[in-house]
Amino acid sequence: MYQVSVCLAPDWDGEKIRELSVELRADIPARKGEPLFFVNLVTIFKPFTELAEPVSLEGDGERIPLSMREEEKPPVKMGVYVPETDSGGWTLCYRLKLAPGGRNPVFDLGYERGGMNGAGMTFMPAFYTEDTIAYTLSWDLSALPGEAIGVWSYGQGTVRREGDDGTLMETFYAAGLLDCVRLGNFGYYWFANDRILENAVATARIFGYESRFFGDGGEPYTIFVRHTDGDEIRAGGTALTRSYMYLYRDNEQLDPVWLKFLFAHEMVHNWVHLKDDPFGTCTWYVEGMAEYYSAVLPLRMGIVTGEELADQLNKRAADYYENPKRHAANAECGAGLMADKELTRVPYGRGFFYLTHADSRIRQATGGERCLDDVMLALKERFREDNSLQNEAWFEEYGRYVGRDEALAEYESFRDGGLVVPAVDCFEGAVTVRKERGTVRETGEACDIWKFYHLCG
């Protein structure tokens, strides 16, 4: 097992962090002419954080010359670093000049009043090794006010963690005058805004409930909050390994009900997976399951009302049924991920409303003794043993109740753009649904839309 130690040293200008020094020590062998590590020069449209001082590598007490070549692996452009001499151990140093925190997706590292936050995607390296790495991440906060703290996705302060070659890149970081709610292995961090406290407490409750439901192994989970002046139409954020970063604006209401559904969705991604490669292959399942359980579990918990649920379902229905791209095939939606907002929305609604239908089919086939939970949990265990599973595993597990051929035919229909009709069995009698007439965004043409109504009592 290799050892990698990282120390992050932020600089303070009186109200925020404008520069960050990175020192990384590793015993991964450096071989002349062989790739040692890479950084993401561009992640989707987010560039690598500006260097205030260039990258330097030292080993055996001497500077190691480095060459860098660019490689394309859409949606990422990589800078691959190659040493020109051998070394058994080495130290990598560089200094970053931060810009204001940017808009979604939160792959950048940026500052705001009170400190900095962001993702390792655009300032941390990943390594060329298949071996497990023992990471130690620490903070040098000597230049910050005494009450400042540093947080990684895996914990606050100095953290030791085993991971893979991309662990530093695929996680979030924050430092400065952070407020927080911590409960067991859950943490929620933000910069000075009293309105956030209520949601932080509610989200800690949701995480505890979901952890028990999905059989979590007690791993840390952390939420970070970024204030942005960006032009996002709707609040949202970005999920990385065991963590999520949420963005909000000053002129945007921090709706406590909507945030319950949002964070319930994002935390489901810790446990529910099929391999979505290339994008679009299983996005319907990955995002559809997160949408499904973000509606069902808060209702089961009793932290949302039937009226609040119906309102949320109608927003999701409008996103899907009135979407001008609602008939796009799964592959087209995957190709347009992040680049086209309407194509990006389709798999969420398509997967969600299809899964309500699948839940209803399972209940009918088993006289109410089984539901979608049973299929999801079976797939969760199978994926834990084999992370290459894709749609075939769904046909097998769901097919146990409705027949594999039937499961395949349903999938092929919505895969190619067929419209999905929702069901309400999974909502425990809280809502009903009716088909009505709606209006397609952009085109103005009439369309069918299914609307949800709360059933009092």
Side-chain angles (χ1 to χ4, degrees), residues 194-238:
D194 293 340
R195 294 181 298 163
I196 292 173
L197 179 60
E198 177 187 352
N199 178 252
V201 174
T203 306
R205 290 183 57 203
I206 296 170
F207 179 77
Y209 186 93
E210 290 192 354
S211 294
R212 293 186 293 274
F213 175 73
F214 290 107
D216 188 52
E219 292 284 297
Y221 185 84
T222 308
I223 288 176
F224 301 87
V225 180
R226 170 184 284 185
H227 169 262
T228 177
D229 294 320
D231 58 354
E232 288 85 0
I233 295 174
R234 180 182 299 178
T238 302

Side-chain angles (χ1 to χ4, degrees), residues 59 84 135 175 207 244 280 302 358 422 446:
E84 296 181 12
Y135 291 98
F207 179 77
Y244 182 77

Side-chain angles (χ1 to χ4, degrees), residues 59-260:
D60 300 326
E62 296 183 357
R63 187 179 182 113
I64 301 175
L66 278 172
S67 62
M68 191 271 282
R69 67 171 185 264
E70 295 184 5
E71 292 185 2
E72 296 277 354
K73 190 177 181 181
V76 170
K77 181 165 73 172
M78 301 155 52
V80 179
Y81 284 84
V82 180
E84 296 181 12
T85 59
D86 292 346
S87 180
W90 43 270
T91 300
L92 174 69
C93 295
Y94 51 98
R95 189 172 180 84
L96 302 165
K97 183 178 179 180
L98 277 59
R103 63 188 179 94
N104 216 15
V106 192
F107 292 144
D108 60 308
L109 180 70
Y111 66 77
E112 61 178 279
R113 186 177 180 86
M116 68 168 202
N117 55 34
M121 300 292 287
T122 54
F123 86 99
M124 281 292 198
F127 307 103
Y128 285 94
T129 177
E130 296 182 356
D131 289 10
T132 299
I133 298 174
Y135 291 98
T136 301
L137 187 130
S138 62
W139 298 85
D140 176 358
L141 304 178
S142 57
L144 273 61
E147 61 270 35
I149 59 175
V151 187
W152 187 27
S153 290
Y154 291 114
Q156 182 176 318
T158 299
V159 178
R160 293 173 176 81
R161 171 81 189 183
E162 289 186 6
D164 61 20
D165 56 320
T167 293
L168 294 176
M169 187 179 282
E170 296 162 3
T171 42
F172 290 114
Y173 303 78
L177 303 178
L178 288 153
D179 291 325
C180 69
V181 166
R182 298 175 66 186
L183 182 62
N185 59 329
F186 174 85
Y188 192 121
Y189 295 86
W190 71 97
F191 293 106
N193 189 324
D194 293 340
R195 294 181 298 163
I196 292 173
L197 179 60
E198 177 187 352
N199 178 252
V201 174
T203 306
R205 290 183 57 203
I206 296 170
F207 179 77
Y209 186 93
E210 290 192 354
S211 294
R212 293 186 293 274
F213 175 73
F214 290 107
D216 188 52
E219 292 284 297
Y221 185 84
T222 308
I223 288 176
F224 301 87
V225 180
R226 170 184 284 185
H227 169 262
T228 177
D229 294 320
D231 58 354
E232 288 85 0
I233 295 174
R234 180 182 299 178
T238 302
L240 290 176
T241 306
R242 298 295 296 192
S243 50
Y244 182 77
M245 188 168 288
Y246 169 67
L247 290 84
Y248 75 95
R249 294 172 296 176
D250 280 338
N251 62 349
E252 180 178 72
Q253 179 69 31
L254 287 163
D255 181 349
V257 175
W258 185 80
L259 288 174
K260 290 175 186 176

